[in-house]
Amino acid sequence: MSADPYAAAQAAAARLRELTGAERHDVALVMGSGWLPAADALGETVAEFPATDLPGFPAPAVAGHSGKIRSVRISGGDSDGKLALIFLGRNHYYEGHGVATVVHGVRTAAAAGCETIVLTNGCGGLREGWVPGQPVLISDHINLTADSPIVGANFVDLTDLYSPRLRALCKEVDPSLDEAVYVQFRGPHYETPAEVNMARVIGGELVGMSTTLEAIAAREAGAEVLGISLVTNLAAGITGEPLNHAEVLEAGKASAERMGALLAKVLERI
Ligand code: 8IG
C-alpha cells in the first residue's frame, strides 16, 4: 500500500477498468465467511481475476477466502445491465496489513464508481432463537478495534451508516429478516463468554471480525452502505460447545441458496 491510500484506490480502479473493459461499476459486494457460494447467483460473470492483479491487495491468508474479484452484469429489475463488483473474500484487520489495506477494496470500488456497497460477513449470533445459517441485517455497529480508516481531522458522520432505505428494501424482499447491532472485535481469536456477555450488555447481538472499518470508509467515500451478517454460529458461551472454522464454512454452504436469492433480488432493485 502506497503512502496515499486514496491514490492507491484510484490506481487500482484504473487497472480494474483495463482488466474488465468497463468504464465504471455501479455496486460493490464484499463476500464474507460463508457467502462465497451466494456470489454465483448474482448475474453473468464478465471477468474474474485474483485481487492481487490490482495494485494494493496483499495475498489472502484465510481458508475459504479465495481473494478473487469478479465483475458481474446484473440482469432484471431496475438495475438491469448494471455492473456489480464482487470481492470474493476480504483482508481482515487481524491479518496485520494495516487498516488502509482492510478498506482498500471499498475505496477501490468507490473510485470505480460504486455508489452502493454491500458488506456481508459471517459472525456469531447472540439473540435467542437464531440458528446457524440465518441472515441478519446490520442496523448499526460498535467498532471495538479502536482504529479508523480515516486519517486526520475528517469528522465523518455515521448516523444511519447502514442505509435505512436499503434495509427496508431487503425487508420487502424477505419480511422475515431480523436487524441487529454488529460488534467488531479485533480477532483472530473468538470471544470469551465474558466478552460475548459484554457485547450483549453494550447493545450488540452480532459478533465478528470485519465490516465496521469498511463501512466507515464507504461512508467517507459517500457510498450508501448495506450490511448483512450470516449467523454461522451461536456466540461463545451460548451453547457451551467450542467454536470452529469448519462450522462457519458449512453454515455458508447450507444457506448459500437463500443468501444468493436474497442478494440477487436486492441487487435488481438497488
Ligand atoms: I464466522 O463467533 C464468525 N466470525 N468475533 N465471533 C467473532 N467472529 C466470528 C464469529 C464469532 N463467527
Side-chain angles (χ1 to χ4, degrees):
M1 175 72 53
S2 66
D4 178 351
Y6 305 97
Q10 291 293 344
R15 183 77 185 119
L16 176 71
R17 283 193 284 274
E18 289 173 1
L19 287 175
T20 61
E23 205 37 55
R24 61 168 279 148
H25 283 74
D26 303 292
V27 51
L29 298 96
V30 179
M31 309 305 271
S33 295
W35 285 84
L36 296 188
D40 295 336
L42 303 183
E44 174 211 345
T45 298
V46 178
E48 181 174 300
F49 48 86
T52 48
D53 282 6
L54 301 186
F57 288 93
V62 180
H65 291 250
S66 74
K68 293 209 166 60
I69 295 174
R70 187 183 290 175
S71 175
V72 164
R73 191 165 302 283
I74 300 168
S75 63
D78 297 337
S79 305
D80 194 54
K82 288 197 173 179
L83 281 181
L85 185 64
I86 305 180
F87 294 87
L88 300 168
R90 56 157 53 88
N91 291 289
H92 287 86
Y93 189 66
Y94 57 71
E95 290 172 65
H97 297 293
V99 68
T101 296
V102 171
V103 304
H104 185 51
V106 161
R107 285 186 174 144
T108 296
C114 296
E115 290 170 1
T116 307
I117 297 186
V118 181
L119 301 171
T120 71
N121 62 53
C123 72
L126 278 70
R127 193 179 299 181
E128 208 166 310
W130 281 349
V131 293
Q134 169 153 4
V136 177
L137 298 172
I138 300 176
S139 59
D140 202 346
H141 81 218
I142 297 173
N143 168 16
L144 293 185
T145 67
D147 211 338
S148 172
I150 303 170
V151 177
N154 179 8
F155 305 109
V156 173
D157 174 60
L158 300 183
T159 310
D160 285 338
L161 175 56
Y162 297 89
S163 167
R165 181 185 81 88
L166 294 178
R167 281 188 273 147
L169 201 158
C170 287
K171 284 197 238 181
E172 277 174 33
V173 169
D174 181 349
S176 76
L177 283 170
D178 283 332
E179 294 194 347
V181 172
Y182 178 91
V183 183
Q184 180 177 358
F185 286 83
R186 181 195 180 279
H189 52 274
Y190 293 117
E191 299 71 37
T192 63
E195 287 164 341
V196 168
N197 194 42
M198 175 190 77
R200 188 201 310 280
V201 166
I202 64 178
E205 291 182 293
L206 302 164
V207 288
M209 307 178 194
S210 69
T211 304
T212 74
L213 299 166
E214 293 151 87
I216 293 166
R219 164 58 63 91
E220 180 197 23
E224 194 172 10
V225 178
L226 173 64
I228 316 181
S229 287
L230 180 65
V231 174
T232 57
N233 56 276
L234 299 178
I238 294 199
T239 66
E241 293 294 316
L243 305 182
N244 69 78
H245 191 66
E247 175 186 38
V248 166
L249 300 179
E250 218 24 69
K253 268 187 209 133
S255 57
E257 213 167 303
R258 183 177 175 199
M259 297 310 97
L262 169 66
L263 285 181
K265 284 195 205 127
V266 170
L267 280 191
E268 276 182 24
R269 302 171 56 178
I270 232 158

